[in-house]
Amino acid sequence: MQADIKTISELGGYAVTAITSITVQTTLGIQEFYDLPAEIVSGQIDAVMNDVQPEVVKIGMVRTLDVVDVIVRALQKYRPRHIVFDAVVLSSQGDALVSDEVMQAVRQRLLPLCTLVIRHDEKQMHGLANRYSSAVAVYLSKGETVEQAQALARTYMNTQIVRTGDLQGRASELYREFLDAIAAHLHTNNDVHFYADSLNVSSRYLAQVTRRISGKAPKAIIDDYMIREIELQLNTTNRTIQEIAYSCGFSSQAHLTKFFKKMRGVSPTSFRKVKR
């Protein structure tokens, strides 16, 4: 859940949750479960749906028949625009996490309601698929097609693998440092040369690294970070457009509006009205 929320926030989304199971978990895997009563799960879902009305729902681990019933009824009642089901079935040790009876109920009642099913086991994916499916959900919430959402999520996951050190060498290290530098200086500098100089490499070499790892130019990556920051402030704060512009380092509201229209095709004001 923590990884899901981190992923959604990094991509400019806003996460609200309903917990189905509490785990005793270490880096080696899940040790114990406590499956929450169905009425508690139902209460959480109703609270979220009534208060926030999310358009995209991601479903993770479901371990009891009663909770399957609760989720199915809620989806039929509230009818979110997209439903992504991330079907975790095995632990990192290869143990079954879900009974055959529950899986049968899921196949018959839950899967027909879903936009996209992602089936994986933790032994193979080491938790990465959880973040991937959350990324897909965020991109769907932004209006991307299912196919484009998956492509963007794969690109995002490639960058995360690099950041966590699964790839070796100077290029991956430099890419991680570049992303960290953007996070630190985004509000004060969006110039590629600034970041290249701070990393002690040429702009050309930095571009070669970012294109090889993410398929994007350095400026595109900086702009992606900036647009997510603007969207986050538009969605979650009551700041005026001018206040957001200044906080994000733009010289004026008009400058921010021009950038936002170029990136999203609508003005910040129109985007905020649609989201709210």
Side-chain angles (χ1 to χ4, degrees):
M1 188 63 68
Q2 292 166 333
D4 288 342
I5 293 172
K6 179 180 179 182
T7 298
I8 292 167
S9 299
E10 284 182 351
L11 292 175
Y14 186 82
V16 287
T17 60
I19 308 297
T20 60
S21 296
I22 298 172
T23 63
V24 178
Q25 189 169 0
T26 69
T27 56
L28 299 179
I30 297 172
Q31 311 300 312
E32 293 182 42
F33 291 97
Y34 175 71
D35 298 321
L36 290 171
E39 59 269 22
I40 298 299
V41 177
S42 179
Q44 293 180 84
I45 294 174
D46 285 340
V48 167
M49 290 298 191
N50 290 330
D51 191 35
V52 182
Q53 298 181 344
E55 293 185 342
V56 180
V57 170
K58 175 198 164 180
I59 303 169
M61 187 167 58
V62 183
R63 286 174 34 87
T64 68
L65 291 174
D66 287 347
V67 170
V68 173
D69 291 340
V70 163
I71 292 172
V72 169
R73 287 199 300 269
L75 295 176
Q76 292 172 334
K77 176 180 178 180
Y78 295 107
R79 299 185 179 278
R81 182 158 53 95
H82 290 294
I83 302 165
V84 178
F85 182 39
D86 185 4
V88 181
V89 295
L90 295 177
S91 72
S92 57
Q93 289 83 22
D95 299 324
L97 301 178
V98 180
S99 71
D100 291 341
E101 186 180 24
V102 170
M103 283 305 302
Q104 184 64 22
V106 166
R107 291 189 189 99
Q108 293 178 350
R109 303 187 58 204
L110 182 56
L111 296 194
L113 303 177
C114 295
T115 305
L116 182 66
V117 177
I118 302 163
R119 183 191 183 280
H120 69 276
D121 60 58
E122 288 292 317
K123 187 174 183 180
Q124 293 175 339
M125 297 301 293
H126 303 290
L128 291 178
N130 286 327
R131 301 194 67 181
Y132 167 76
S133 57
S134 291
V136 170
V138 172
Y139 287 120
L140 287 173
S141 75
K142 295 177 181 291
E144 303 290 352
T145 65
V146 173
E147 293 75 17
Q148 186 65 11
Q150 291 180 88
L152 291 168
R154 283 193 292 270
T155 298
Y156 170 77
M157 288 311 305
N158 287 339
T159 66
Q160 295 308 298
I161 291 170
V162 171
R163 292 191 72 176
T164 55
D166 290 341
L167 298 180
Q168 302 299 319
R170 168 61 176 159
S172 60
E173 179 184 352
L174 179 64
Y175 188 82
R176 291 195 298 272
E177 292 174 356
F178 176 53
L179 298 184
D180 290 341
I182 295 174
H185 301 288
L186 180 64
H187 290 188
T188 58
N189 207 304
N190 64 359
D191 181 64
V192 173
H193 293 289
F194 166 83
Y195 291 100
D197 289 344
S198 67
L199 296 170
N200 200 29
V201 296
S202 68
S203 299
R204 181 179 180 182
Y205 180 72
L206 179 61
Q208 290 173 333
V209 168
T210 62
R211 288 187 184 279
R212 182 173 73 83
I213 292 175
S214 71
K216 295 182 178 181
K219 186 62 169 68
I221 295 172
I222 295 169
D223 287 349
D224 284 346
Y225 266 72
M226 179 59 74
I227 199 68
R228 291 199 296 266
E229 173 63 21
I230 296 170
E231 288 178 340
L232 183 63
Q233 292 200 38
L234 289 171
N235 287 334
T236 62
T237 75
N238 291 319
R239 289 181 174 179
T240 66
I241 307 299
Q242 186 177 56
E243 288 172 335
I244 295 173
Y246 292 150
S247 73
C248 290
F250 288 88
S251 59
S252 65
Q253 178 177 333
H255 187 195
L256 180 145
T257 299
K258 181 179 179 180
F259 170 78
F260 197 90
K261 283 184 175 180
K262 177 183 176 182
M263 295 292 290
R264 291 294 183 252
V266 296
S267 69
T269 301
S270 298
F271 175 87
R272 174 175 268 175
K273 287 181 179 177
V274 170
K275 290 296 181 179
R276 293 188 175 181

